[in-house]
């Protein structure tokens, strides 16, 4: 396993649709997942998509540990690998929250997303995985799945004033505290 460089916005690879994994469970996929988990943890992130390390495959990893000092307010999310994931919104509840991205360091934007989703996909061994997620958990999965379609969170910002450098947003009182670098901050609003 190795910590890989994370591509930053502007790199064309981040804008391409990633390809389905053809042979889940093979050695190459296991090596990729190992690198992704190590890279996510080294960066202090809560999620990572394969295109962010320059691999055009539909693989995401995410997870939040309850004792992570960088995410004091984030609810724990089990460490999960999803291969060829598909998501569908459940219900009509759409909520804006601040998001960041390891590919867009130092910035945050307010992004509306469905509050509840259903997801399905495969794990690294090719076993089917499905479940429901809500809130922060659902937001991470949606953010990472967007990466697989070449979508970055600024594309989803409705109000361009709610996008900027963390220090400026803090100075303006729009965000508070120390925010996690990737990809979202739960329950953060003005004040
Ligand atoms: Ni991201």
């Amino acid at each position: 396993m190795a910590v890989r460089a994370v591509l930053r916005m502007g790199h064309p690879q981040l804008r391409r649709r990633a390809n389905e994994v053809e042979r889940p469970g093979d050695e190459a996929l296991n090596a990729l997942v190992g690198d992704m988990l190590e890279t996510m943890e080294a960066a202090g992130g809560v999620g990572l998509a394969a295109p962010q390390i320059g691999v055009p495959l539909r693989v995401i990893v995410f997870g939040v540990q309850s004792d992570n000092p960088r995410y004091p307010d984030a609810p724990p999310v089990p460490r999960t690998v999803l291969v060829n994931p598909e998501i569908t919104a459940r219900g009509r509840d759409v909520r804006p929250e601040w998001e960041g991205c390891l590919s867009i360091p130092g910035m945050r934007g307010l992004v509306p997303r469905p509050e509840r989703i259903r997801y399905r996909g495969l794990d690294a061994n090719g076993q089917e995985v499905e479940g429901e997620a809500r809130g922060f958990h659902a937001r991470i999965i949606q953010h990472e799945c967007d990466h697989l379609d070449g979508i970055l969170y600024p594309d989803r910002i409705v109000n361009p004033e709610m996008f900027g450098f963390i220090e400026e947003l803090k100075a303006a009182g729009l965000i508070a505290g120390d925010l996690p670098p990737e990809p979202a901050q739960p329950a953060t609003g003005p004040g």
Side-chain angles (χ1 to χ4, degrees), residues 5-7 14 18 32 36 39-40 46-62 82 85 101-103 140-141 143-149 151-152 182:
V6 177
L7 304 183
L14 291 172
L32 170 64
M36 288 174 66
T39 302
M40 177 178 82
V46 295
L48 191 74
Q52 289 182 277
I53 58 168
V55 177
L57 289 174
R58 303 185 79 78
V59 182
I60 65 172
V61 299
F62 54 89
L82 279 181
C101 180
L102 291 176
S103 296
I140 296 173
I141 298 173
H143 176 113
E144 301 310 333
C145 285
D146 271 354
H147 277 299
L148 305 181
D149 292 326
I151 297 167
L152 299 173
E182 162 91 358

Side-chain angles (χ1 to χ4, degrees), residues 137-178:
H137 187 185
R139 180 168 296 271
I140 296 173
I141 298 173
Q142 291 175 81
H143 176 113
E144 301 310 333
C145 285
D146 271 354
H147 277 299
L148 305 181
D149 292 326
I151 297 167
L152 299 173
Y153 79 79
D155 308 349
R156 297 201 180 276
I157 292 171
V158 174
N159 180 353
E161 291 180 24
M162 298 292 116
F163 178 48
F165 291 94
I166 295 167
E167 292 308 321
E168 298 296 343
L169 295 168
K170 275 188 192 169
L174 293 167
I175 59 175
D178 291 318

